Amino acid sequence: MAETAARHWIAHGPDDLLPLPILYNYRHSIELSLKWLIRKAAQCVLREGYTGEEDLEPVSLNGR
């Protein structure tokens, strides 16, 4: 959505209604990417035998 709105803005000039949806959607995309990367990092740490205090099991990460 953000890419489409940004392309529309570039092609048709500034529109006061577009900046917030564009920024929100890019921010949300980054947030989801970071959550996925955290889960992948937790999987790698658990695979290597992590025995620390923090619970890195997928079930406990889903609530965060």
Side-chain angles (χ1 to χ4, degrees):
M1 181 351 214
E3 183 71 24
T4 302
R7 287 180 188 270
H8 176 78
W9 189 354
I10 291 168
H12 298 108
D15 183 345
D16 290 344
L17 298 176
L18 290 179
L20 288 179
I22 290 171
L23 294 173
Y24 174 79
N25 280 287
Y26 275 126
R27 182 195 62 83
H28 189 60
S29 174
I30 292 168
E31 179 184 343
L32 292 176
S33 297
L34 288 173
K35 285 182 178 183
W36 182 82
L37 289 169
I38 289 168
R39 286 185 175 89
K40 282 298 183 187
Q43 287 175 354
C44 291
V45 169
L46 288 173
R47 186 178 60 231
E48 295 296 321
Y50 174 79
T51 58
E53 296 177 18
E54 186 69 31
D55 184 11
L56 298 178
E57 293 297 325
V59 173
S60 68
L61 290 176
N62 286 339
R64 298 179 186 177

